[in-house]
Amino acid sequence: MTENKMNGTRRAFFVRGGAVLGAGVATAAAAGVLLPDAAPAVPDRLPQLQRELTSHQDRESIRQLHRAFTAAIENQTYEAAVELFEPHADLNLSGLSVQGQPAIRRLLITQYRQQQARVLHSAYRQGPLQQPDLIAIAADGAHATATFHCDVELSTPLPADSTLAQMARLQGQVAERHWEAGRFEARYVKTDGQWKMTALRFTSSPPSRPQLLP
């Protein structure tokens, strides 16, 4: 290779290298300009992300609280159900209404367990056509409301002195049972990081009427 060609090659190399180096420096410089403006965006989102995480955790805690109540009723562990309410809570199950934790205890542990209530909840199930559940957390993060749709198995104890009751007991039955669609409407309060119910009401949905064709 001649000296002129070697010198030309070296010049071309340094020109190309300088161009690449210049591009890299320019990119780094541009990044240096952009980073100070972009960096605060991450810390600024942290409170919002924390609120979203807390809201998700609260919603899941409320769902677990509702599941705990329905499981306690189905399993007849009524003492556990009572502990899910705050002291001054209201409870209304298909028209049986009481206020305050002592009254809730009497309703569930005495009337439910001894089959003295005129109507009792004995089981729950989900239906394929039910509306989605709704949970709303208040802005203070300490109060919430929810609506849970489900079917309930209602048990009506048979009168002890009736002929029908005597015949049913011979077959192992002590109550008339049927299913109804309805919804739970609840209010909650969060105290010391724990959610409890302040009100719970189950209302049966009116039966759907068949549509008349023209």
Side-chain angles (χ1 to χ4, degrees):
M1 180 179 295
T2 65
E3 183 177 354
N4 290 336
K5 288 184 177 181
M6 292 177 61
N7 291 337
T9 301
R10 284 197 294 268
R11 284 196 300 272
F13 172 80
F14 284 115
V15 168
R16 288 195 300 270
V20 173
L21 178 62
V25 172
T27 302
V33 173
L34 293 176
L35 283 178
D37 294 334
V42 175
D44 287 349
R45 274 187 53 80
L46 289 179
Q48 179 183 353
L49 293 174
Q50 183 61 47
R51 288 192 296 270
E52 292 175 356
L53 176 60
T54 301
S55 177
H56 174 76
Q57 293 172 337
D58 286 336
R59 292 170 188 273
E60 184 58 30
S61 296
I62 288 173
R63 289 189 185 93
Q64 293 295 335
L65 179 62
H66 181 69
R67 294 189 190 108
F69 174 80
T70 56
I73 297 299
E74 290 183 327
N75 298 327
Q76 299 183 17
T77 54
Y78 300 123
E79 293 84 356
V82 174
E83 296 304 317
L84 303 176
F85 293 86
E86 62 95 29
H88 304 290
D90 297 329
L91 174 62
N92 187 316
L93 295 179
S94 298
L96 294 180
S97 181
V98 291
Q99 183 176 13
Q101 203 174 42
I104 294 174
R105 184 181 301 274
R106 287 192 298 271
L107 172 63
L108 296 181
I109 296 178
T110 300
Q111 296 186 50
Y112 259 58
R113 178 163 289 158
Q114 298 181 15
Q115 301 283 303
Q116 295 178 353
R118 60 177 176 81
V119 62
L120 304 92
H121 287 202
S122 54
Y124 304 98
R125 69 184 182 189
Q126 296 297 316
L129 301 178
Q130 287 169 357
Q131 301 179 39
D133 300 330
L134 299 174
I135 300 176
I137 309 295
D140 62 5
H143 296 82
T145 60
T147 301
F148 296 100
H149 296 84
C150 69
D151 295 342
V152 59
E153 184 184 48
L154 296 177
S155 299
T156 304
L158 299 172
D161 56 351
S162 69
T163 303
L164 178 61
Q166 295 174 5
M167 294 176 60
R169 286 190 175 88
L170 292 175
Q171 299 176 3
Q173 300 178 5
V174 295
E176 186 273 328
R177 301 173 183 269
H178 68 280
W179 288 91
E180 286 187 5
R183 66 185 182 277
F184 280 103
E185 295 175 322
R187 295 196 304 269
Y188 307 88
V189 64
K190 188 177 185 181
T191 305
D192 297 329
Q194 183 178 10
W195 287 99
K196 287 200 172 185
M197 289 182 281
T198 60
L200 181 66
R201 179 186 183 92
F202 183 88
T203 305
S204 296
S205 302
S208 58
R209 296 181 178 178
Q211 296 183 352
L212 299 177
L213 298 177

